[in-house]
Amino acid sequence: MRRCVVKVKLQVRPRPVRSVFARRWLRVLSIVLVGCGRSMIYQSAPRGDWSAIGSATTSTSSSTGGTSAATQTSGVGSGAVTGTGSSNSTTTFAVTATGTARASQSSSSTSGASSACDAGPCVTTFAGTGPPGQGGDTFEGPSGVAVDPAGTVYVGDLGNERVAKIDRAGNVTTLAGDGGVGDSVGQAGTTKFNSPWGVAVDSAGNVYVADSYNGRIKKIDLAGNVTVFAGNGKAGFADGTGGPNGTAMFATPTGIAVDPAGNLLVADTSNNRIRKIDPSGNVTTVAGNGALGFVDGTGGTNGTASFTDPEGVAADTDGTLYVADTFSFSIRRIDASGNVTTFAGNGTPASIDGTGGRNGTAEFRLPAGIALDGRGYLYVADYYGESIRRVDPLGNVTTLAGTSAPGYVDGPAAMAEFCQPSAVAVDVLGNVYVTDLFNNRIRLIHP
């Protein structure tokens, strides 16, 4: 079922903005003002029998004198969304909503899959209540996700300025961050972040956070102490020593990952580079010469390879790195020698499955977070593609879950809907966790 709020949102969605700062705040603003329907018309049931009580009428729209409006009501309660603006959808708009929606589930056990899901992957909601909020099991723009071998999930909760921790039963607690904007270290409950984005966990259980607008990578140890691992807090580019007063600098770091040797890989988005932090905190550049571009070639600071706002990074066991080159609309691969090639995505923004490589048929709408499983398959949160894509070891791309339409629907993967998924993580059993940013939820794709 479609929600009229989604259609209004699509009318006013901005064109891709290259400024990372602007993009982040456009995302947060959209969460506050619009969301993704927030299930105002239809709320997906937990895993079981996905049948809605009542029905929704189709939306209607009209255009008069350069303005547009859309309304929709449901058969259970009522819901209405009204959007107004100029014909080119660049001016202000208003959103209102009333009424409720319901969904039923025939089974009381979340472990009992419906027959519709027995034949393939199934999407459920792992955590999050939907409307944005602070603390507890409410999220506001969850943006990064990681999972440890025990199945504990960690989330960069962007709007709440915290790192959340979710146990295997779906219970949510705050690992670090007091909810205020700032830049402080110490005991986890009293520290402050400024847009905590990517998260990663190492083999010892330490959690790392890309504190994006502070230009730092922070570390949360097992005792709950938060320290600066690398980045001196000055936005810029410099390789060098780590720690709060070191010489290394970042500019809006987003996605991070830990490799088998214990190095931390960082998508240094505004610097258009992939950086590496060794266990001692020393920072070097793996690839990216700093220029905006979609150029394969040699790595290092002065190499020929270039990226355009990379937001995701993943490390394979053989030393190969994969990069979500977000505004090149592609997945890049960096070999152990630092050479960069295009693994999948031909640079055209679209949601098309197909063959990999720069000249292949596969296309991504806006690849963001990425993660590898134990078999060498790469999972991609296709942000504007409203889907989770999977890339096999040869570079061939398929859609794992999502219809490419924004919304919030649990169920069989081919019918499930997301609203701008931003990151993914894979556990040892092959379950895929997704930060569903505008739905303010953590979704789970069961294999």
Side-chain angles (χ1 to χ4, degrees):
M1 296 186 182
R2 293 288 181 270
R3 286 165 289 285
C4 186
V5 67
V6 172
K7 294 185 178 181
V8 173
K9 180 180 183 300
L10 286 173
Q11 290 172 1
V12 299
R13 175 184 287 178
R15 294 170 62 89
V17 181
R18 280 188 174 173
S19 165
V20 176
F21 183 85
R23 288 207 312 275
R24 294 293 178 270
W25 285 107
L26 282 171
R27 293 179 187 182
V28 173
L29 182 63
S30 297
I31 294 166
V32 174
L33 293 180
V34 180
C36 194
R38 306 246 171 86
S39 302
M40 288 185 290
I41 305 303
Y42 174 83
Q43 170 137 1
S44 171
R47 192 171 184 171
D49 177 20
W50 289 271
S51 58
I53 299 175
S55 60
T57 63
T58 57
S59 63
T60 61
S61 61
S62 62
S63 178
T64 304
T67 63
S68 62
T71 60
Q72 181 174 2
T73 59
S74 71
V76 179
S78 65
V81 176
T82 302
T84 61
S86 66
S87 58
N88 62 7
S89 300
T90 59
T91 60
T92 58
F93 61 95
V95 178
T96 60
T98 60
T100 60
R102 296 185 291 156
S104 67
Q105 182 185 17
S106 62
S107 172
S108 61
S109 171
T110 57
S111 62
S114 69
S115 59
C117 280
D118 289 343
C122 190
V123 178
T124 62
T125 296
F126 182 59
T129 58
Q134 188 170 27
D137 60 352
T138 57
F139 298 95
E140 188 167 340
S143 303
V145 64
V147 58
D148 68 17
T152 302
V153 175
Y154 303 90
V155 177
D157 192 2
L158 183 74
N160 281 326
E161 304 294 348
R162 68 167 180 166
V163 177
K165 179 180 178 180
I166 312 173
D167 67 20
R168 294 180 65 180
N171 300 305
V172 183
T173 55
T174 296
L175 178 65
D178 66 3
V181 178
D183 182 12
S184 63
V185 297
Q187 277 297 307
T190 62
T191 56
K192 295 183 184 298
F193 299 100
N194 191 353
S195 298
W197 192 261
V199 290
V201 57
D202 67 16
S203 58
N206 299 299
V207 177
Y208 298 87
V209 186
D211 194 2
S212 295
Y213 292 150
N214 282 326
R216 300 186 193 269
I217 307 301
K218 292 181 177 176
K219 177 181 177 180
I220 309 169
D221 66 20
L222 297 179
N225 298 305
V226 180
T227 56
V228 174
F229 188 50
N232 60 21
K234 300 175 183 178
F237 169 70
D239 289 336
T241 56
N245 301 312
T247 57
M249 291 190 290
F250 301 91
T252 327
T254 53
I256 57 176
V258 179
D259 73 11
N263 300 300
L264 191 69
L265 288 310
V266 180
D268 193 4
T269 304
S270 292
N271 279 324
N272 301 297
R273 292 176 163 101
I274 304 304
R275 316 287 292 281
K276 181 171 73 173
I277 312 174
D278 70 19
S280 298
N282 299 306
V283 180
T284 55
T285 297
V286 178
N289 57 24
L292 287 168
F294 181 29
V295 178
D296 292 338
T298 57
T301 302
N302 299 314
T304 58
S306 61
F307 303 93
T308 304
D309 292 347
E311 290 193 6
V313 62
D316 208 344
T317 55
D318 63 357
T320 301
L321 305 181
Y322 296 89
V323 178
D325 193 4
T326 303
F327 275 84
S328 290
F329 313 104
S330 64
I331 305 299
R332 315 289 290 281
R333 180 167 56 188
I334 308 174
D335 66 22
S337 299
N339 299 305
V340 179
T341 55
T342 299
F343 185 51
N346 57 28
T348 301
S351 296
I352 298 176
D353 293 340
T355 56
R358 178 178 286 264
N359 298 315
T361 58
E363 296 174 354
F364 298 92
R365 182 76 65 181
L366 200 77
I370 59 176
L372 281 162
D373 69 12
R375 302 178 301 158
Y377 285 78
L378 187 73
Y379 298 81
V380 181
D382 196 351
Y383 186 80
Y384 281 156
E386 312 293 1
S387 59
I388 305 303
R389 317 286 293 279
R390 181 167 61 188
V391 189
D392 71 18
L394 298 178
N396 300 305
V397 180
T398 56
T399 297
L400 176 65
T403 65
S404 294
Y408 171 57
V409 176
D410 282 336
M415 299 170 60
E417 292 181 354
F418 303 89
C419 194
Q420 300 189 357
S422 60
V424 288
V426 187
D427 69 16
V428 293
L429 300 177
N431 297 301
V432 180
Y433 298 85
V434 181
T435 50
D436 195 1
L437 189 141
F438 281 167
N439 282 322
N440 297 298
R441 292 175 167 97
I442 309 304
R443 313 288 289 281
L444 177 58
I445 306 175
H446 305 263

